[in-house]
């Protein structure tokens, strides 16, 4: 007989990840494991679980194997077409929600939405705010759209390359978690990153290619006093602040993530 504990201990991966995979595939939670860890697992589940553990041993991210990741208070489907939502990005959501509440905004735009994490978390917090989300990847948008349905949250999903399909529109708030990793950054070969879409991660030799484009183009798509909030790498805040200043933004501010790294920078368009 094979128990849940046997399966967890048989895997050559981190114990918590093995536990998460085994419990998810058994449809159980951690509380169950305390009292049932030595009971035999149904025979038909065993090869399925062993297969999943093997995929993890070979480097596939847990989120892709189980097909979901929680973000904010949402359970989101993820596939290799989208970046796996990170807790750091909740900082961008928090700031966006704060802007929407403070200025009573009725609209906002999320560029490069991927799984739809930012757009959906904002919609969940601010139901009266109309959220539009853009991605150039058809496959990513399909994931985002499915997440909107399963979370029962209404977001307008648009296919396009950054501002491409938005000509003539102006927004009071634009948010983005663009690619910002340097092309040569060794982290692209570590952890979960090799399995994630490179186009969602890498952004030229300095990692600033997309941030530069967003900052230079946003003024044409922001209302007077509109805000642009951007996630970036831990060492890119000064560069992003300088780019915002050059592009005519004021009230430029950087906020730190849970690890204390400068992670999100934003500013307000100065039309004065
Ligand atoms: N924070 C991510 C990482 O370094 C990168 C996300 C991004 O490029 N937007 O793993």
């Amino acid at each position: 007989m094979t128990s849940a504990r046997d399966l967890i201990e048989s895997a050559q991966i981190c114990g918590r990840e093995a536990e998460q995979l085994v419990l998810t595939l058994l449809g159980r939670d951690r509380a169950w494991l305390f009292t049932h860890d030595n009971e035999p697992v149904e025979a038909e589940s065993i090869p399925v679980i062993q297969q999943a553990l093997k995929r993890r041993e070979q480097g596939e991210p847990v989120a892709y194997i189980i097909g979901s990741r929680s973000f904010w208070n949402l359970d989101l489907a993820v596939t290799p077409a989208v970046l796996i939502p990170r807790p750091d990005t909740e900082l961008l959501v928090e700031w966006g929600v704060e802007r929407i509440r403070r200025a009573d905004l009725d609209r906002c735009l999320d560029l490069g939405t991927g799984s739809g994490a930012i757009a959906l978390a904002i919609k969940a917090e601010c139901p009266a705010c109309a959220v539009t989300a853009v991605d150039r990847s058809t496959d990513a948008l399909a994931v985002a759209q499915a997440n909107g349905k399963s979370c029962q949250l209404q977001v307008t999903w648009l296919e396009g390359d950054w501002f491409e399909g938005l000509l003539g529109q102006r927004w009071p708030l634009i948010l983005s978690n663009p690619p910002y990793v340097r092309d040569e950054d060794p982290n692209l070969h570590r952890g979960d990153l090799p399995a994630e879409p490179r186009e969602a991660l890498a952004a030229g030799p300095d990692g600033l290619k997309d941030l530069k484009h967003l900052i230079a183009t946003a003024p044409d798509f922001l209302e007077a006093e509109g805000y642009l909030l951007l996630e970036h790498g831990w060492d890119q805040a000064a560069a992003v602040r300088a780019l915002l200043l050059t592009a005519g933004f004021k009230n430029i501010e950087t906020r730190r993530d849970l690890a204390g790294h400068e992670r999100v920078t934003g500013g307000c368009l100065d039309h004065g």
Side-chain angles (χ1 to χ4, degrees):
M1 75 128 218
T2 303
S3 68
R5 180 59 55 203
D6 294 333
L7 288 165
I8 291 166
E9 283 172 1
S10 73
Q12 306 297 309
I13 56 176
C14 129
R16 277 213 66 111
E17 288 183 345
E19 216 173 87
Q20 194 190 351
L21 281 169
V22 170
L23 289 174
T24 304
L25 292 168
L26 288 174
R28 304 289 187 178
D29 59 18
R30 292 196 76 217
W32 175 88
L33 192 63
F34 288 117
T35 43
H36 299 78
D37 61 340
N38 287 317
E39 287 176 14
V41 168
E42 312 86 76
E44 63 270 24
S45 302
I46 294 173
V48 179
I49 294 172
Q50 284 171 334
Q51 175 67 13
L53 294 169
K54 181 172 241 135
R55 284 167 68 186
R56 181 64 196 134
E57 282 170 11
Q58 289 166 352
E60 207 174 321
V62 172
Y64 291 155
I65 299 170
I66 62 177
S68 71
R69 171 57 45 100
S70 55
F71 178 80
W72 203 255
N73 58 356
L74 306 169
D75 192 26
L76 299 176
V78 291
T79 74
V82 299
L83 196 77
I84 300 164
R86 321 280 208 255
D88 293 340
T89 304
E90 293 184 347
L91 178 63
L92 178 58
V93 172
E94 269 168 36
W95 195 348
V97 167
E98 181 187 303
R99 275 309 310 154
I100 291 166
R101 293 197 176 135
R102 188 166 296 168
D104 201 16
L105 303 181
D106 61 355
R107 295 173 316 125
C108 74
L109 175 66
D110 170 27
L111 292 177
T113 196
S115 64
I118 296 166
L120 291 167
I122 286 188
K123 188 65 189 177
E125 287 306 307
C126 308
C129 181
V131 180
T132 296
V134 174
D135 206 287
R136 71 172 175 199
S137 155
T138 313
D139 292 344
L141 268 189
V143 174
Q145 218 151 3
N147 279 326
K149 278 214 178 85
S150 67
C151 297
Q152 295 187 289
L153 292 167
Q154 165 63 38
V155 166
T156 302
W157 307 107
L158 296 178
E159 192 171 324
D161 193 3
W162 301 129
F163 294 101
E164 185 184 58
L166 302 168
L167 222 63
Q169 303 184 21
R170 290 203 180 256
W171 301 80
L173 172 64
I174 298 174
L175 311 99
S176 183
N177 172 20
Y180 54 70
V181 181
R182 289 174 186 79
D183 285 344
E184 301 302 326
D185 190 327
N187 285 314
L188 286 172
H189 306 289
R190 292 193 189 126
D192 288 349
L193 273 66
E196 294 185 288
R198 194 181 161 91
E199 65 165 8
L201 287 166
D206 58 2
L208 293 169
K209 178 169 74 78
D210 295 288
L211 285 161
K212 281 179 181 161
H213 174 70
L214 288 171
I215 294 168
T217 317
D220 291 338
F221 295 88
L222 280 168
E223 291 177 352
E225 309 292 311
Y227 268 77
L228 175 64
L229 306 180
L230 298 165
E231 182 172 325
H232 51 70
W234 63 274
D235 56 353
Q236 292 171 329
V240 170
R241 285 193 296 265
L243 289 164
L244 284 168
L245 199 62
T246 307
F249 285 84
K250 61 179 179 181
N251 300 353
I252 297 166
E253 181 191 334
T254 296
R255 297 194 182 177
R256 290 176 189 270
D257 64 19
L258 297 168
H261 297 130
E262 291 188 312
R263 181 61 61 188
V264 181
T265 295
C268 169
L269 190 61
D270 187 358
H271 273 295

